[in-house]
Amino acid sequence: MNIMLFHSTYGLRPAVRAAADRLRAAGHEVWTPDLFDGRTFESVEEGLAFKDELGNDELLKRAVLAAAPYSDRGLVYAGFSLGAATAQTLALGDAKARGLLLLHGTSDIAANASVDELPVQLHVAEPDAFETDDWLSAWYLQMGRAGADVEVYRYAGAGHLYTDPDLDDYDAEAAEATWRTALGFLESL
């Protein structure tokens, strides 16, 4: 699989590179564009402030430009938290998308979004302040209406960005379960 993997609001940190290496070791080709021009952050608040300064349009433009050279190959879009939201936006707009792997995040869905049984897998903490139960229920229904084939995995007691070993959110057991399931998902595409 060809995978476009987007970083979280923390920036392109070692955990994102390690995830890409894990995916490569499983036989996938992976790109990890740096949408923050080398900037990384120690807190969600700092990263969100930078994202807001950059602007959503610029962030999306950077993501589209990063994916464009590879989209004809049929990409699987993937991302962590903010990067998952970015991946979702791109996947729903790319008729050649092969799949969508969301780690720790989702995004709004355009009312006219339409995909042809796009395989989607979401991994998220339970509870998660950024991905509330009500939000996830509505998101799931909207993705289904858009034509996506969605699987959702919840991890009780894990922190929001529980796959990043350098953060307080880290949960080794949930992270390993996520990667086992995600690798199986990618193999099925």
Side-chain angles (χ1 to χ4, degrees), residues 3-188:
I3 303 170
M4 186 63 55
L5 180 62
F6 294 105
H7 61 75
S8 75
T9 191
Y10 286 96
L12 187 55
R13 295 166 44 88
V16 179
R17 290 187 180 94
D21 289 343
R22 184 178 209 148
L23 294 167
R24 288 182 189 110
H28 304 290
E29 190 160 358
V30 184
W31 296 273
T32 56
D34 185 348
L35 304 181
F36 285 180
D37 294 329
R39 303 270 313 263
T40 59
F41 302 95
E42 295 302 314
S43 73
V44 170
E45 294 78 19
E46 290 174 14
L48 287 175
F50 179 77
K51 180 203 69 101
D52 290 345
E53 184 181 307
L54 191 64
N56 288 332
D57 289 345
E58 178 63 21
L59 185 72
L60 190 56
K61 176 183 164 190
R62 291 176 180 198
V64 168
L65 289 173
Y70 311 104
S71 63
D72 279 348
R73 298 180 186 195
L75 290 171
V76 172
Y77 291 92
F80 296 94
S81 193
L82 171 68
T86 302
Q88 177 185 306
T89 300
L90 268 61
L92 293 179
D94 182 351
K96 293 183 180 180
R98 298 279 308 272
L100 176 58
L101 176 60
L102 303 171
L103 303 164
H104 322 295
T106 61
S107 183
D108 293 330
I109 301 164
N112 63 346
S114 178
V115 293
D116 187 17
E117 297 181 8
L118 179 70
V120 177
Q121 194 173 84
L122 168 65
H123 297 267
V124 65
E126 182 178 28
D128 188 317
F130 296 101
E131 300 289 326
T132 65
D133 290 345
D134 288 347
W135 168 264
L136 288 173
S137 294
W139 174 86
Y140 180 84
L141 292 172
Q142 289 174 322
M143 285 296 278
R145 272 191 232 110
D149 181 13
V150 181
E151 298 176 351
V152 178
Y153 295 87
R154 304 290 306 270
Y155 300 88
H160 172 67
L161 206 58
Y162 64 82
T163 59
D164 189 329
D166 296 325
L167 298 176
D168 290 342
D169 286 349
Y170 183 62
D171 183 312
E173 187 177 324
E176 283 308 308
T178 293
W179 286 115
R180 271 194 312 275
T181 305
L183 289 168
F185 170 71
L186 293 168
E187 284 300 313
S188 74

